């Protein structure tokens, strides 16, 4: 394992001003997170509900936890009180489930709408067209428990830079369309979460405001 604090600092020095770093700590232990915390990192990303819950209990209260993995509706209740942002709202059903639960517990939860633009079928999310249709239905005006902050997406898992660039452009274009249409005038619709260890620099060049980086900070994950 490399030095986590040094990796955090090295990545920070390459980030454009205004781009937020989510340190993806899934599958890494509390000690690794505390090393990043010691370097000033306060935003961490997790992809499993139970793992998130256990880490919240064990780690400092001023950490902002972002949920970035596929979220099953039956796990919403577990994470709703403790999560500060959910990146992976990938269906209308999940959106309304989170909204209902947030209202029930008297919270407002920041969420991102997950876009599917990559080649792989394994990735979940809305197509840009589906998101436009959902927005046109007026649903976003009815949500009292969630605050829609923007979109999240992943590029195709490939070495083909043109393909990766096209994917990030499509995600950013979808955000821009929503920002100019259904979310016009909402200052808090401001987040484009895209870019991981191997492609975050391309993502930033094409309009990411938030990057999610795991391996470059913490090393390889042991699943
Ligand atoms: C695991 C994960 C990441 C981090 O990936 P790295 O390649 O380790 O940087 C980012 N986003 C999502 C959605 C993930 O599941």
């Amino acid at each position: 394992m490399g030095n986590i604090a040094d990796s955090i600092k090295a990545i920070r020095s390459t980030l454009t001003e205004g781009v937020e770093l989510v340190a993806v700590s899934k599958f890494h232990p509390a000690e690794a997170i505390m090393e990043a915390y010691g370097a000033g990192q306060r935003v961490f990303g997790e992809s499993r509900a139970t793992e998130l819950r256990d880490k919240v209990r064990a780690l400092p209260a001023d950490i902002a936890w972002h949920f970035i993995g596929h979220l099953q509706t039956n796990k919403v209740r577990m994470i709703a009180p403790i999560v500060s942002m959910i990146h992976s709202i990938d269906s209308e059903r999940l959106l309304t489930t989170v909204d209902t639960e947030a209202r029930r517990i008297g919270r407002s939860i920041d969420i991102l709408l997950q876009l599917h633009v990559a080649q792989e079928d394994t990735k979940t999310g809305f197509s840009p067209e589906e998101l436009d249709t959902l927005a046109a239905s007026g649903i976003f005006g009815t949500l009292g428990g969630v605050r829609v902050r923007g979109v999240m997406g992943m590029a195709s898992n490939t070495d083909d830079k043109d393909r990766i660039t096209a994917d990030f452009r499509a995600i950013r274009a979808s955000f821009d369309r929503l920002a100019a249409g259904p979310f016009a005038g909402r200052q808090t619709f401001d987040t484009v979460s895209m870019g991981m260890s191997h492609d975050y620099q391309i993502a930033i060049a094409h309009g990411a405001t938030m990057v999610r980086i795991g391996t470059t900070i913490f090393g390889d994950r042991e699943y």
Side-chain angles (χ1 to χ4, degrees):
M1 190 162 68
N3 185 309
I4 291 171
D6 287 348
S7 301
I8 292 266
K9 286 171 194 155
I11 291 168
R12 283 245 183 78
S13 72
T14 69
L15 296 182
T16 308
E17 194 168 334
V19 175
E20 179 150 27
L21 171 64
V22 179
V24 177
S25 49
K26 63 189 186 193
F27 300 98
H28 292 288
E31 302 80 69
I33 295 173
M34 282 311 294
E35 270 189 68
Y37 184 93
Q41 184 66 26
R42 292 294 181 273
V43 182
F44 292 89
E46 290 286 334
S47 62
R48 289 179 172 185
T50 46
E51 186 176 347
L52 172 64
R53 181 197 57 195
D54 293 346
K55 285 176 173 171
V56 169
R57 286 179 182 158
L59 287 154
D62 63 342
I63 289 177
W65 296 96
H66 288 204
F67 195 86
I68 64 169
H70 178 62
L71 179 58
Q72 293 166 282
T73 50
N74 64 4
K75 294 283 165 56
V76 168
R77 196 162 271 205
M78 184 185 288
I79 72 162
I82 52 180
V83 77
S84 80
M85 182 181 270
I86 301 174
H87 290 226
S88 42
I89 299 294
D90 58 8
S91 71
E92 187 176 346
R93 180 159 168 259
L94 182 60
L95 176 67
T96 53
T97 303
V98 171
D99 182 56
T100 303
E101 179 62 13
R103 290 188 209 221
R104 193 185 71 83
I105 62 173
R107 276 200 85 193
S108 171
I109 299 178
D110 282 355
I111 61 144
L112 302 176
L113 301 162
Q114 184 171 351
L115 278 158
H116 174 90
V117 298
Q119 279 161 333
E120 298 86 34
D121 288 338
T122 49
K123 296 196 168 89
T124 58
F126 300 98
S127 70
E129 297 74 32
E130 284 169 343
L131 211 46
D132 290 341
T133 305
L134 189 66
S137 76
I139 189 172
F140 296 122
T142 70
L143 305 170
V146 300
R147 192 162 63 152
V148 184
R149 297 292 307 273
V151 301
M152 177 274 231
M154 276 177 264
S156 303
N157 189 10
T158 171
D159 292 331
D160 178 357
K161 276 205 165 156
D162 291 340
R163 175 72 212 203
I164 294 171
T165 299
D167 289 346
F168 287 143
R169 282 211 167 112
I171 294 164
R172 178 71 207 201
S174 185
F175 170 83
D176 287 340
R177 218 162 42 243
L178 292 166
F183 293 98
R186 287 211 217 170
Q187 302 298 320
T188 53
F189 190 81
D190 60 0
T191 303
V192 180
S193 166
M194 60 184 190
M196 312 174 18
S197 287
H198 68 285
D199 59 14
Y200 77 89
Q201 270 134 336
I202 306 174
I204 291 170
H206 295 283
T209 68
M210 189 178 272
V211 292
R212 309 176 307 270
I213 301 179
T215 308
T216 303
I217 296 171
F218 296 107
D220 289 332
R221 289 178 285 272
E222 285 176 35
Y223 291 96

